[in-house]
Amino acid sequence: MSQTQAAKPSTVSVPPPAAAPSSDCCPGLVWAFRFSADGASQELSECMLPPGALGHSGDDGWLWVHVNLADARVAPYLRAHVPDLPKAALDLLLSVGDRQQLHADDACVYGVFADLVYRLEGLSDELGLLHFVATEKLLITGRRDGLHSIEAVRKSLRSGQNPKNHTALLESIFMQVTTGVEEKSEAISDELDFIEERLIVDLEDDIPKRLAKCRRLAVRLHRLLSTQRSVIGRFEQNAWQTTGKAHVLKTSHIAQRLDWLDHEMVALRDRAHLLQEEVSLRMTDQTNRNLQLLTIVTTVFLPAGVISSIFGMNVGGLPLEHDRSGFIVTMLLLIGASGLVFYILKRLGMLRR
């Protein structure tokens, strides 16, 4: 039997080619929820939607789709798969503008709302924009940064709290916007309390920076709330002109909450402004103290400087030039002149502070 055997060809298992992505796969999809007529919700796959889901979501149910507008593939996909949306609504959904607005027509309600950005570590001080379009069967929301209101509503849905319809879900999102602002207002109030207590004791180096951060955030949130209140007011005035069911959005309680929060934010802004004025006065007073001390030191040693300048002249005939005790006499003269000036300043009351 031969020691060498013919090499057998090795068989390599080649995996089958991956299936091509379905045309119904929504790019940039963050999540999607399907709601039945009784309000029960079902979270769909994070990467796939059922065939034709955006076109029709059933006779009795409706769909919420949340997408990442930073994905460049989202715009052409939505334009191709949601042809029934009005052009103005779809354009605003995919726009990159930063102006808050809220509109309604016979087919849908749509707009742009500002919200606090949500990071992995929690609620941040940054502001992001929520774009949305709501019809009777479909709610599409989009963002370019993680938003607090969307994350909060998603958690509530996962915990079993289900809205009755798309307008109720949209109202929940708006209310979560105000909830995030309220959390920030409480944080600002606590920070101002802490700064005020420390300011009573002493002015520390980090107080002006922390105070400026609080005031800046209060100003930004006041601008956000006042703009949202104005947007809702215009929406309430113009909604009666439409006849569709999609715009049945209850905004009165949202407007009341925005008014209350705006008053709170204005109070915090004014409080931060007053504290900044107090800090400025403290800093000015401290600067004046330093300048006064510098002036006193300069004044005390001014005669000594004059005397030392006289004895430092390189000319003949200077007194004590050849006296062995001249240095001691000169030093006593310098000290005596400075002491005399110090005594005069003290008698005049300039050293009391």
Short mmCIF file of all heavy atoms in Angstrom, two decimals, residues 10 13 20 70 154 225 259 297 300 310 332 335 348:
data_model
loop_
_atom_site.label_atom_id
_atom_site.label_comp_id
_atom_site.label_asym_id
_atom_site.label_seq_id
_atom_site.Cartn_x
_atom_site.Cartn_y
_atom_site.Cartn_z
N SER A 10 -10.80 19.50 -1.01
CA SER A 10 -11.54 19.92 0.19
C SER A 10 -12.80 20.65 -0.21
O SER A 10 -12.80 21.44 -1.15
CB SER A 10 -10.66 20.84 1.05
OG SER A 10 -10.28 21.98 0.31
N SER A 13 -17.88 24.97 2.65
CA SER A 13 -19.30 25.33 2.66
C SER A 13 -19.44 26.83 2.46
O SER A 13 -18.90 27.62 3.23
CB SER A 13 -19.93 24.92 3.99
OG SER A 13 -19.28 25.58 5.05
N ALA A 20 -31.77 39.96 -0.48
CA ALA A 20 -31.79 41.40 -0.74
C ALA A 20 -32.83 42.05 0.15
O ALA A 20 -33.88 41.49 0.41
CB ALA A 20 -32.13 41.65 -2.22
N ALA A 70 -31.58 62.23 10.11
CA ALA A 70 -30.19 62.40 9.69
C ALA A 70 -29.78 61.41 8.61
O ALA A 70 -28.77 61.61 7.93
CB ALA A 70 -29.25 62.28 10.90
N ARG A 154 -42.10 56.42 24.59
CA ARG A 154 -41.78 55.03 24.27
C ARG A 154 -41.75 54.16 25.53
O ARG A 154 -42.27 53.04 25.55
CB ARG A 154 -40.43 54.97 23.55
CG ARG A 154 -40.04 53.57 23.09
CD ARG A 154 -38.61 53.55 22.61
NE ARG A 154 -38.27 52.28 22.00
CZ ARG A 154 -37.04 51.94 21.60
NH1 ARG A 154 -36.05 52.78 21.77
NH2 ARG A 154 -36.81 50.78 21.03
N LEU A 225 -40.53 78.10 25.43
CA LEU A 225 -41.90 78.04 25.92
C LEU A 225 -42.78 79.12 25.30
O LEU A 225 -43.92 78.87 24.93
CB LEU A 225 -41.91 78.17 27.45
CG LEU A 225 -41.28 77.00 28.22
CD1 LEU A 225 -41.14 77.35 29.69
CD2 LEU A 225 -42.09 75.73 28.05
N ASP A 259 -48.09 78.16 29.74
CA ASP A 259 -48.18 79.47 30.39
C ASP A 259 -47.59 79.42 31.80
O ASP A 259 -46.82 80.30 32.20
CB ASP A 259 -49.63 79.93 30.45
CG ASP A 259 -50.14 80.40 29.10
OD1 ASP A 259 -49.30 80.79 28.27
OD2 ASP A 259 -51.36 80.36 28.88
N VAL A 297 -0.22 101.02 49.64
CA VAL A 297 1.17 100.56 49.64
C VAL A 297 2.05 101.52 48.82
O VAL A 297 3.17 101.87 49.23
CB VAL A 297 1.24 99.13 49.07
CG1 VAL A 297 2.68 98.70 48.85
CG2 VAL A 297 0.55 98.16 50.01
N VAL A 300 2.52 104.76 50.85
CA VAL A 300 3.41 104.60 52.00
C VAL A 300 4.87 104.60 51.57
O VAL A 300 5.74 105.22 52.22
CB VAL A 300 3.05 103.32 52.76
CG1 VAL A 300 4.15 102.96 53.78
CG2 VAL A 300 1.72 103.48 53.48
N ILE A 310 17.12 110.12 45.48
CA ILE A 310 18.05 111.24 45.70
C ILE A 310 19.43 110.72 46.04
O ILE A 310 20.45 111.17 45.48
CB ILE A 310 17.50 112.15 46.81
CG1 ILE A 310 16.22 112.85 46.34
CG2 ILE A 310 18.56 113.19 47.22
CD1 ILE A 310 15.55 113.68 47.42
N LEU A 332 17.28 104.56 58.34
CA LEU A 332 16.38 105.11 59.34
C LEU A 332 15.52 106.22 58.77
O LEU A 332 14.32 106.34 59.10
CB LEU A 332 17.19 105.63 60.54
CG LEU A 332 17.92 104.57 61.38
CD1 LEU A 332 18.77 105.24 62.46
CD2 LEU A 332 16.90 103.63 62.01
N ILE A 335 12.76 104.47 56.63
CA ILE A 335 11.74 103.85 57.48
C ILE A 335 10.91 104.92 58.17
O ILE A 335 9.68 104.81 58.29
CB ILE A 335 12.39 102.91 58.50
CG1 ILE A 335 13.07 101.74 57.78
CG2 ILE A 335 11.36 102.38 59.49
CD1 ILE A 335 13.86 100.84 58.69
N LEU A 348 -6.13 109.98 59.05
CA LEU A 348 -7.14 110.48 58.13
C LEU A 348 -8.29 109.47 57.89
O LEU A 348 -9.25 109.79 57.22
CB LEU A 348 -6.51 110.84 56.78
CG LEU A 348 -5.56 112.03 56.80
CD1 LEU A 348 -4.90 112.23 55.43
CD2 LEU A 348 -6.27 113.31 57.23
#
